[in-house]
Amino acid sequence: MSPQTVGIIGFIVMVTMIFLRIPVAIALGLVGTVGYAALNGWTQAALVLGRVPFTFASAYDLSVVPLFVLMGSIARHSGMARELFQSINVMFSGRRGTLATATIGACAALGSVSGSSVAMVATMSHVAVPEMRRAKYDERLALGSVVAGGTLGILFPPSVMLIFYGLTAVQSIPKLFAAGFIPGLILAALQILVVKTAIWLYPDWAPVSPRAPWRVRLQASAGMWKLLCIFVLSIGGIYAGWFSPTEAAAIGTFSTIVIATLSGSMTFGKLVEATIESGRTAAMLFFILLGAIMFSYFIVQTQIASNLAAWVVSLHLPPTAVMVVVVFFYIVLGSFLESLTMILITVPVFAPLAQGLGYDLIWFGIILVGLIEVGMIHPPMGMNLFVLQSQVPDARLGKLYIGSAMFLVANAVLIVLLLAFPQIALWLPRHLY
Amino acid sequence: MKAVFASISRCATYASALFLVAMMMITVADVVLRAIFNLPITGTYDLVQLFLVGTVFLSIPDVFLRDRNIVIDFVDHVFGQRAIGLLKLIANVFAVAFLGLLIWRMVPPARDALNFHEVSPDLSIPMWVHWALMLIGIGLTLPAAVLMLIQSALDFSHPQVIPPQQADL
């Protein structure tokens, strides 16, 4: 049996195991080990498996993951999300649909401290949904704005997904962070446009909020200083050359703790809770990474990625046509697979393909994260939909699906813009480096 | 039995949290001292790597005990409760098999690190310390997975109504 055949069988078995509820980490690790043994013998496979955990002992850059997870967790536990939502709501008061706009604005701003989409939806569903329900917002708009806004967390720096993409595709994390910034702003603007269009078509979906005086609005804008400080310190520091992304994660987390404590919103109990929760999340993510490393060793041995890239190049298809097929592939895959799993199992195959076609892998990372966002709000299997359902158990499924489908237009436009104008993602990193 | 093991696992989780805080503090101290006094802390890289291992591996048992592994539960909408119970049981068998295999194969390189006196580049921290943390983490995870396997076998043999799961955050 050729290595390619073993690879294809391994891939099918691994996906089947994942769909049959085998934990992703276990499926990746077991198939990776058995597949590696099938190609190189058991002794070699056992040797490689035994040394995989040591990857974490020699990967200083990986420390960025638990630290950024902790930063987001502290921001949530200290009530920064609620404060930010209320500030934006007051600042833009007097218009129709302010609460939905504030939800997206708060998600965009919170994205600068929390790199997790799931955590963002969980937080905002408690903060924004009750407020919008009280104000008699239509459920479609209320639920849709929360699930869609949540996706902004993985495009704005620091994004856990971009970090994992960077580690898997061996790309610069600061460049990826910079590349995600403008698409993140565009997506936020597009989502606000969806809100505005929806309430223009159906004015009864969102009432006009009472107008706050300018003095109150200015006071409310001061409520954003915490996040601004954290963002300027942690992300700004990377580009100012003060410290590396790993150090930025530590500085950002530390400053979040200090600011939350000084403003009286952080207790010792909450800090302990946030730290334990972050350690657990990091362990969960790294255990998947452990399985994925073993699986990627196996995939490298099969030479599937290089053969696929060579085959596609030999077809002499226009690169854009190939990329459109890749985009559709990811949209379908995103309907079934969890985002991190999608990155870890597909990047070893598709990144060499994209590179072979002459695409910049920084741009490809942003396209990939954009597609993951589609998968997260894509009915019926989007992860953000499940999270919102679990946090708001009385949310009507039909309304949730319509609400999220409405916002998919914004994501689709972003993908088209990125395909047509790669500079949207590449301008800032090229300008900064 | 499960309660005793849960306490041990909780201790490991607290240790993991301490490692995480230590990782943050050592980096902040290094950056501040370097920026203000031009006095970076020697061996920050070595310490961060050690603390990262502690953070990650000592929380894995708790992830298993709380059933927090990422699972694609697409089939929950397709199959009945009994079939799902069987799939959970099979998943736990695979988990025990993988963890058993992993810990068994981790022992030889850990022994090599001890026998050949491998050390970290800056502070010469013996690498067996890293291996020890990894072995403790996976070593505690294996019984956690066995407990989950026993639990899923009991659930499968005595089916009952299972409350809807909370979202895994």
Side-chain angles (χ1 to χ4, degrees), chain A residues 302-338:
Chain A
T302 64
Q303 298 171 340
I304 283 184
S306 50
N307 284 350
L308 177 71
W311 176 70
V312 172
V313 170
S314 74
L315 292 175
H316 300 295
L317 288 169
T320 316
V322 179
M323 199 44 71
V324 168
V325 174
V326 170
V327 164
F328 276 104
F329 172 80
Y330 272 110
I331 289 173
V332 173
L333 203 65
S335 309
F336 302 99
L337 278 187
E338 188 272 332

mmCIF file of all heavy atoms in Angstrom, chain A residues 302-338:
data_model
loop_
_atom_site.group_PDB
_atom_site.id
_atom_site.type_symbol
_atom_site.label_atom_id
_atom_site.label_comp_id
_atom_site.label_asym_id
_atom_site.label_seq_id
_atom_site.Cartn_x
_atom_site.Cartn_y
_atom_site.Cartn_z
ATOM 1 N N THR A 302 3.269 10.728 4.798
ATOM 2 C CA THR A 302 2.494 10.230 3.656
ATOM 3 C C THR A 302 2.742 11.055 2.392
ATOM 4 O O THR A 302 2.366 10.626 1.303
ATOM 5 C CB THR A 302 0.975 10.281 3.946
ATOM 6 O OG1 THR A 302 0.603 11.648 4.115
ATOM 7 C CG2 THR A 302 0.606 9.494 5.175
ATOM 8 N N GLN A 303 3.301 12.249 2.546
ATOM 9 C CA GLN A 303 3.572 13.189 1.438
ATOM 10 C C GLN A 303 2.285 13.600 0.719
ATOM 11 O O GLN A 303 2.339 14.032 -0.440
ATOM 12 C CB GLN A 303 4.547 12.569 0.436
ATOM 13 C CG GLN A 303 5.885 12.253 1.063
ATOM 14 C CD GLN A 303 6.791 11.450 0.162
ATOM 15 O OE1 GLN A 303 6.340 10.810 -0.779
ATOM 16 N NE2 GLN A 303 8.061 11.469 0.449
ATOM 17 N N ILE A 304 1.144 13.477 1.404
ATOM 18 C CA ILE A 304 -0.132 13.862 0.775
ATOM 19 C C ILE A 304 -0.130 15.348 0.412
ATOM 20 O O ILE A 304 -0.518 15.726 -0.698
ATOM 21 C CB ILE A 304 -1.310 13.566 1.727
ATOM 22 C CG1 ILE A 304 -1.616 12.073 1.715
ATOM 23 C CG2 ILE A 304 -2.570 14.334 1.341
ATOM 24 C CD1 ILE A 304 -2.808 11.679 2.547
ATOM 25 N N ALA A 305 0.318 16.186 1.362
ATOM 26 C CA ALA A 305 0.250 17.634 1.143
ATOM 27 C C ALA A 305 1.059 18.049 -0.071
ATOM 28 O O ALA A 305 0.572 18.765 -0.948
ATOM 29 C CB ALA A 305 0.740 18.363 2.387
ATOM 30 N N SER A 306 2.311 17.563 -0.143
ATOM 31 C CA SER A 306 3.164 17.976 -1.271
ATOM 32 C C SER A 306 2.636 17.409 -2.582
ATOM 33 O O SER A 306 2.660 18.084 -3.615
ATOM 34 C CB SER A 306 4.611 17.547 -1.020
ATOM 35 O OG SER A 306 4.641 16.194 -0.651
ATOM 36 N N ASN A 307 2.115 16.160 -2.563
ATOM 37 C CA ASN A 307 1.576 15.567 -3.787
ATOM 38 C C ASN A 307 0.312 16.294 -4.248
ATOM 39 O O ASN A 307 0.134 16.512 -5.450
ATOM 40 C CB ASN A 307 1.239 14.085 -3.569
ATOM 41 C CG ASN A 307 2.501 13.236 -3.568
ATOM 42 O OD1 ASN A 307 3.578 13.728 -3.901
ATOM 43 N ND2 ASN A 307 2.381 11.985 -3.189
ATOM 44 N N LEU A 308 -0.538 16.654 -3.264
ATOM 45 C CA LEU A 308 -1.767 17.373 -3.618
ATOM 46 C C LEU A 308 -1.418 18.725 -4.243
ATOM 47 O O LEU A 308 -1.974 19.103 -5.286
ATOM 48 C CB LEU A 308 -2.639 17.587 -2.366
ATOM 49 C CG LEU A 308 -3.920 18.390 -2.566
ATOM 50 C CD1 LEU A 308 -4.947 17.597 -3.366
ATOM 51 C CD2 LEU A 308 -4.535 18.800 -1.224
ATOM 52 N N ALA A 309 -0.456 19.416 -3.619
ATOM 53 C CA ALA A 309 -0.038 20.721 -4.149
ATOM 54 C C ALA A 309 0.514 20.561 -5.563
ATOM 55 O O ALA A 309 0.157 21.320 -6.468
ATOM 56 C CB ALA A 309 0.993 21.356 -3.222
ATOM 57 N N ALA A 310 1.363 19.546 -5.764
ATOM 58 C CA ALA A 310 1.964 19.322 -7.094
ATOM 59 C C ALA A 310 0.881 18.989 -8.123
ATOM 60 O O ALA A 310 0.928 19.474 -9.265
ATOM 61 C CB ALA A 310 2.981 18.192 -7.005
ATOM 62 N N TRP A 311 -0.091 18.171 -7.697
ATOM 63 C CA TRP A 311 -1.158 17.772 -8.620
ATOM 64 C C TRP A 311 -2.008 18.977 -9.039
ATOM 65 O O TRP A 311 -2.286 19.173 -10.219
ATOM 66 C CB TRP A 311 -2.037 16.702 -7.957
ATOM 67 C CG TRP A 311 -3.212 16.288 -8.790
ATOM 68 C CD1 TRP A 311 -3.173 15.565 -9.943
ATOM 69 C CD2 TRP A 311 -4.590 16.601 -8.546
ATOM 70 N NE1 TRP A 311 -4.456 15.396 -10.426
ATOM 71 C CE2 TRP A 311 -5.344 16.026 -9.595
ATOM 72 C CE3 TRP A 311 -5.259 17.299 -7.545
ATOM 73 C CZ2 TRP A 311 -6.728 16.133 -9.666
ATOM 74 C CZ3 TRP A 311 -6.637 17.400 -7.616
ATOM 75 C CH2 TRP A 311 -7.357 16.820 -8.663
ATOM 76 N N VAL A 312 -2.381 19.794 -8.032
ATOM 77 C CA VAL A 312 -3.210 20.970 -8.331
ATOM 78 C C VAL A 312 -2.443 21.930 -9.244
ATOM 79 O O VAL A 312 -2.998 22.456 -10.220
ATOM 80 C CB VAL A 312 -3.670 21.675 -7.027
ATOM 81 C CG1 VAL A 312 -4.362 22.991 -7.337
ATOM 82 C CG2 VAL A 312 -4.616 20.780 -6.262
ATOM 83 N N VAL A 313 -1.150 22.114 -8.969
ATOM 84 C CA VAL A 313 -0.341 23.011 -9.811
ATOM 85 C C VAL A 313 -0.286 22.469 -11.242
ATOM 86 O O VAL A 313 -0.383 23.216 -12.215
ATOM 87 C CB VAL A 313 1.082 23.192 -9.202
ATOM 88 C CG1 VAL A 313 2.005 23.916 -10.168
ATOM 89 C CG2 VAL A 313 0.995 23.957 -7.880
ATOM 90 N N SER A 314 -0.188 21.121 -11.374
ATOM 91 C CA SER A 314 -0.083 20.508 -12.709
ATOM 92 C C SER A 314 -1.367 20.675 -13.521
ATOM 93 O O SER A 314 -1.363 20.539 -14.739
ATOM 94 C CB SER A 314 0.273 19.024 -12.591
ATOM 95 O OG SER A 314 -0.863 18.317 -12.147
ATOM 96 N N LEU A 315 -2.492 20.963 -12.848
ATOM 97 C CA LEU A 315 -3.757 21.155 -13.569
ATOM 98 C C LEU A 315 -3.797 22.494 -14.309
ATOM 99 O O LEU A 315 -4.674 22.725 -15.141
ATOM 100 C CB LEU A 315 -4.945 21.090 -12.591
ATOM 101 C CG LEU A 315 -5.237 19.729 -11.957
ATOM 102 C CD1 LEU A 315 -6.358 19.857 -10.927
ATOM 103 C CD2 LEU A 315 -5.634 18.708 -13.008
ATOM 104 N N HIS A 316 -2.869 23.384 -13.964
ATOM 105 C CA HIS A 316 -2.772 24.724 -14.559
ATOM 106 C C HIS A 316 -4.093 25.505 -14.451
ATOM 107 O O HIS A 316 -4.484 26.207 -15.367
ATOM 108 C CB HIS A 316 -2.333 24.639 -16.030
ATOM 109 C CG HIS A 316 -0.992 23.981 -16.175
ATOM 110 N ND1 HIS A 316 0.165 24.532 -15.677
ATOM 111 C CD2 HIS A 316 -0.641 22.799 -16.735
ATOM 112 C CE1 HIS A 316 1.186 23.720 -15.909
ATOM 113 N NE2 HIS A 316 0.724 22.661 -16.550
ATOM 114 N N LEU A 317 -4.777 25.307 -13.327
ATOM 115 C CA LEU A 317 -6.001 26.073 -13.076
ATOM 116 C C LEU A 317 -5.599 27.452 -12.566
ATOM 117 O O LEU A 317 -4.549 27.601 -11.932
ATOM 118 C CB LEU A 317 -6.852 25.380 -12.006
ATOM 119 C CG LEU A 317 -7.564 24.087 -12.400
ATOM 120 C CD1 LEU A 317 -8.130 23.425 -11.152
ATOM 121 C CD2 LEU A 317 -8.683 24.368 -13.398
ATOM 122 N N PRO A 318 -6.445 28.459 -12.806
ATOM 123 C CA PRO A 318 -6.116 29.765 -12.226
ATOM 124 C C PRO A 318 -6.113 29.648 -10.698
ATOM 125 O O PRO A 318 -7.015 29.008 -10.139
ATOM 126 C CB PRO A 318 -7.261 30.672 -12.695
ATOM 127 C CG PRO A 318 -8.010 29.904 -13.706
ATOM 128 C CD PRO A 318 -7.684 28.461 -13.555
ATOM 129 N N PRO A 319 -5.126 30.228 -10.017
ATOM 130 C CA PRO A 319 -5.071 30.109 -8.548
ATOM 131 C C PRO A 319 -6.370 30.536 -7.875
ATOM 132 O O PRO A 319 -6.783 29.938 -6.885
ATOM 133 C CB PRO A 319 -3.911 31.043 -8.166
ATOM 134 C CG PRO A 319 -3.061 31.106 -9.384
ATOM 135 C CD PRO A 319 -3.969 30.972 -10.556
ATOM 136 N N THR A 320 -7.026 31.560 -8.436
ATOM 137 C CA THR A 320 -8.277 32.034 -7.817
ATOM 138 C C THR A 320 -9.329 30.928 -7.839
ATOM 139 O O THR A 320 -10.064 30.748 -6.849
ATOM 140 C CB THR A 320 -8.813 33.277 -8.576
ATOM 141 O OG1 THR A 320 -7.711 34.134 -8.826
ATOM 142 C CG2 THR A 320 -9.883 33.996 -7.798
ATOM 143 N N ALA A 321 -9.379 30.170 -8.943
ATOM 144 C CA ALA A 321 -10.375 29.085 -9.038
ATOM 145 C C ALA A 321 -10.111 28.044 -7.959
ATOM 146 O O ALA A 321 -11.046 27.563 -7.295
ATOM 147 C CB ALA A 321 -10.300 28.449 -10.420
ATOM 148 N N VAL A 322 -8.822 27.697 -7.764
ATOM 149 C CA VAL A 322 -8.473 26.712 -6.727
ATOM 150 C C VAL A 322 -8.861 27.259 -5.353
ATOM 151 O O VAL A 322 -9.437 26.547 -4.528
ATOM 152 C CB VAL A 322 -6.958 26.391 -6.766
ATOM 153 C CG1 VAL A 322 -6.597 25.388 -5.686
ATOM 154 C CG2 VAL A 322 -6.557 25.868 -8.132
ATOM 155 N N MET A 323 -8.581 28.545 -5.146
ATOM 156 C CA MET A 323 -8.869 29.132 -3.835
ATOM 157 C C MET A 323 -10.381 29.165 -3.575
ATOM 158 O O MET A 323 -10.819 28.952 -2.443
ATOM 159 C CB MET A 323 -8.260 30.545 -3.770
ATOM 160 C CG MET A 323 -8.070 31.084 -2.371
ATOM 161 S SD MET A 323 -7.376 29.930 -1.161
ATOM 162 C CE MET A 323 -5.689 29.789 -1.718
ATOM 163 N N VAL A 324 -11.169 29.395 -4.611
ATOM 164 C CA VAL A 324 -12.633 29.396 -4.444
ATOM 165 C C VAL A 324 -13.097 27.999 -4.014
ATOM 166 O O VAL A 324 -13.937 27.852 -3.114
ATOM 167 C CB VAL A 324 -13.343 29.860 -5.749
ATOM 168 C CG1 VAL A 324 -14.846 29.589 -5.675
ATOM 169 C CG2 VAL A 324 -13.091 31.344 -5.985
ATOM 170 N N VAL A 325 -12.500 26.952 -4.623
ATOM 171 C CA VAL A 325 -12.843 25.573 -4.236
ATOM 172 C C VAL A 325 -12.452 25.343 -2.766
ATOM 173 O O VAL A 325 -13.220 24.761 -1.989
ATOM 174 C CB VAL A 325 -12.138 24.550 -5.165
ATOM 175 C CG1 VAL A 325 -12.367 23.124 -4.686
ATOM 176 C CG2 VAL A 325 -12.633 24.711 -6.595
ATOM 177 N N VAL A 326 -11.259 25.819 -2.402
ATOM 178 C CA VAL A 326 -10.791 25.662 -1.012
ATOM 179 C C VAL A 326 -11.772 26.371 -0.056
ATOM 180 O O VAL A 326 -12.134 25.834 0.989
ATOM 181 C CB VAL A 326 -9.348 26.219 -0.850
ATOM 182 C CG1 VAL A 326 -8.943 26.286 0.611
ATOM 183 C CG2 VAL A 326 -8.361 25.356 -1.623
ATOM 184 N N VAL A 327 -12.225 27.563 -0.448
ATOM 185 C CA VAL A 327 -13.165 28.325 0.382
ATOM 186 C C VAL A 327 -14.456 27.516 0.595
ATOM 187 O O VAL A 327 -14.934 27.374 1.726
ATOM 188 C CB VAL A 327 -13.472 29.694 -0.281
ATOM 189 C CG1 VAL A 327 -14.717 30.331 0.330
ATOM 190 C CG2 VAL A 327 -12.280 30.629 -0.124
ATOM 191 N N PHE A 328 -14.996 26.942 -0.478
ATOM 192 C CA PHE A 328 -16.232 26.152 -0.347
ATOM 193 C C PHE A 328 -15.995 24.908 0.510
ATOM 194 O O PHE A 328 -16.847 24.517 1.299
ATOM 195 C CB PHE A 328 -16.790 25.781 -1.728
ATOM 196 C CG PHE A 328 -17.619 26.894 -2.299
ATOM 197 C CD1 PHE A 328 -17.116 27.709 -3.297
ATOM 198 C CD2 PHE A 328 -18.892 27.150 -1.808
ATOM 199 C CE1 PHE A 328 -17.873 28.761 -3.807
ATOM 200 C CE2 PHE A 328 -19.651 28.208 -2.306
ATOM 201 C CZ PHE A 328 -19.147 29.013 -3.308
ATOM 202 N N PHE A 329 -14.807 24.308 0.343
ATOM 203 C CA PHE A 329 -14.461 23.135 1.145
ATOM 204 C C PHE A 329 -14.513 23.494 2.645
ATOM 205 O O PHE A 329 -15.095 22.769 3.450
ATOM 206 C CB PHE A 329 -13.060 22.646 0.759
ATOM 207 C CG PHE A 329 -12.522 21.577 1.650
ATOM 208 C CD1 PHE A 329 -12.920 20.252 1.502
ATOM 209 C CD2 PHE A 329 -11.618 21.885 2.657
ATOM 210 C CE1 PHE A 329 -12.426 19.272 2.339
ATOM 211 C CE2 PHE A 329 -11.126 20.899 3.505
ATOM 212 C CZ PHE A 329 -11.521 19.586 3.329
ATOM 213 N N TYR A 330 -13.919 24.636 2.993
ATOM 214 C CA TYR A 330 -13.882 25.047 4.396
ATOM 215 C C TYR A 330 -15.281 25.394 4.917
ATOM 216 O O TYR A 330 -15.599 25.156 6.076
ATOM 217 C CB TYR A 330 -12.940 26.237 4.588
ATOM 218 C CG TYR A 330 -11.517 25.803 4.853
ATOM 219 C CD1 TYR A 330 -10.512 25.994 3.918
ATOM 220 C CD2 TYR A 330 -11.180 25.190 6.049
ATOM 221 C CE1 TYR A 330 -9.206 25.600 4.155
ATOM 222 C CE2 TYR A 330 -9.874 24.792 6.311
ATOM 223 C CZ TYR A 330 -8.897 24.991 5.363
ATOM 224 O OH TYR A 330 -7.616 24.588 5.617
ATOM 225 N N ILE A 331 -16.119 25.973 4.041
ATOM 226 C CA ILE A 331 -17.484 26.316 4.487
ATOM 227 C C ILE A 331 -18.246 25.034 4.826
ATOM 228 O O ILE A 331 -18.911 24.951 5.862
ATOM 229 C CB ILE A 331 -18.227 27.149 3.410
ATOM 230 C CG1 ILE A 331 -17.615 28.551 3.344
ATOM 231 C CG2 ILE A 331 -19.721 27.242 3.722
ATOM 232 C CD1 ILE A 331 -18.114 29.426 2.224
ATOM 233 N N VAL A 332 -18.102 24.008 3.975
ATOM 234 C CA VAL A 332 -18.771 22.726 4.231
ATOM 235 C C VAL A 332 -18.196 22.094 5.504
ATOM 236 O O VAL A 332 -18.931 21.679 6.400
ATOM 237 C CB VAL A 332 -18.605 21.777 3.016
ATOM 238 C CG1 VAL A 332 -19.155 20.385 3.345
ATOM 239 C CG2 VAL A 332 -19.317 22.351 1.797
ATOM 240 N N LEU A 333 -16.870 22.074 5.593
ATOM 241 C CA LEU A 333 -16.203 21.458 6.752
ATOM 242 C C LEU A 333 -16.592 22.169 8.053
ATOM 243 O O LEU A 333 -16.816 21.531 9.084
ATOM 244 C CB LEU A 333 -14.684 21.534 6.545
ATOM 245 C CG LEU A 333 -13.839 20.539 7.303
ATOM 246 C CD1 LEU A 333 -14.118 19.123 6.830
ATOM 247 C CD2 LEU A 333 -12.357 20.852 7.125
ATOM 248 N N GLY A 334 -16.700 23.502 7.955
ATOM 249 C CA GLY A 334 -17.041 24.313 9.131
ATOM 250 C C GLY A 334 -18.439 24.037 9.652
ATOM 251 O O GLY A 334 -18.762 24.378 10.782
ATOM 252 N N SER A 335 -19.279 23.420 8.813
ATOM 253 C CA SER A 335 -20.629 23.085 9.267
ATOM 254 C C SER A 335 -20.609 21.894 10.214
ATOM 255 O O SER A 335 -21.581 21.626 10.900
ATOM 256 C CB SER A 335 -21.520 22.723 8.079
ATOM 257 O OG SER A 335 -21.441 23.710 7.101
ATOM 258 N N PHE A 336 -19.509 21.155 10.221
ATOM 259 C CA PHE A 336 -19.445 19.935 11.036
ATOM 260 C C PHE A 336 -18.332 19.961 12.084
ATOM 261 O O PHE A 336 -18.468 19.381 13.134
ATOM 262 C CB PHE A 336 -19.204 18.712 10.136
ATOM 263 C CG PHE A 336 -20.255 18.544 9.083
ATOM 264 C CD1 PHE A 336 -20.034 18.981 7.792
ATOM 265 C CD2 PHE A 336 -21.467 17.973 9.398
ATOM 266 C CE1 PHE A 336 -21.010 18.845 6.817
ATOM 267 C CE2 PHE A 336 -22.446 17.830 8.438
ATOM 268 C CZ PHE A 336 -22.230 18.262 7.141
ATOM 269 N N LEU A 337 -17.201 20.602 11.722
ATOM 270 C CA LEU A 337 -16.036 20.503 12.596
ATOM 271 C C LEU A 337 -15.850 21.737 13.466
ATOM 272 O O LEU A 337 -16.181 22.855 13.067
ATOM 273 C CB LEU A 337 -14.769 20.294 11.763
ATOM 274 C CG LEU A 337 -14.459 18.875 11.285
ATOM 275 C CD1 LEU A 337 -13.093 18.836 10.630
ATOM 276 C CD2 LEU A 337 -14.474 17.880 12.432
ATOM 277 N N GLU A 338 -15.277 21.517 14.615
ATOM 278 C CA GLU A 338 -14.943 22.582 15.555
ATOM 279 C C GLU A 338 -13.724 23.345 15.004
ATOM 280 O O GLU A 338 -12.883 22.766 14.312
ATOM 281 C CB GLU A 338 -14.658 21.903 16.903
ATOM 282 C CG GLU A 338 -14.481 22.806 18.076
ATOM 283 C CD GLU A 338 -13.055 23.245 18.228
ATOM 284 O OE1 GLU A 338 -12.158 22.500 17.803
ATOM 285 O OE2 GLU A 338 -12.845 24.338 18.739
#
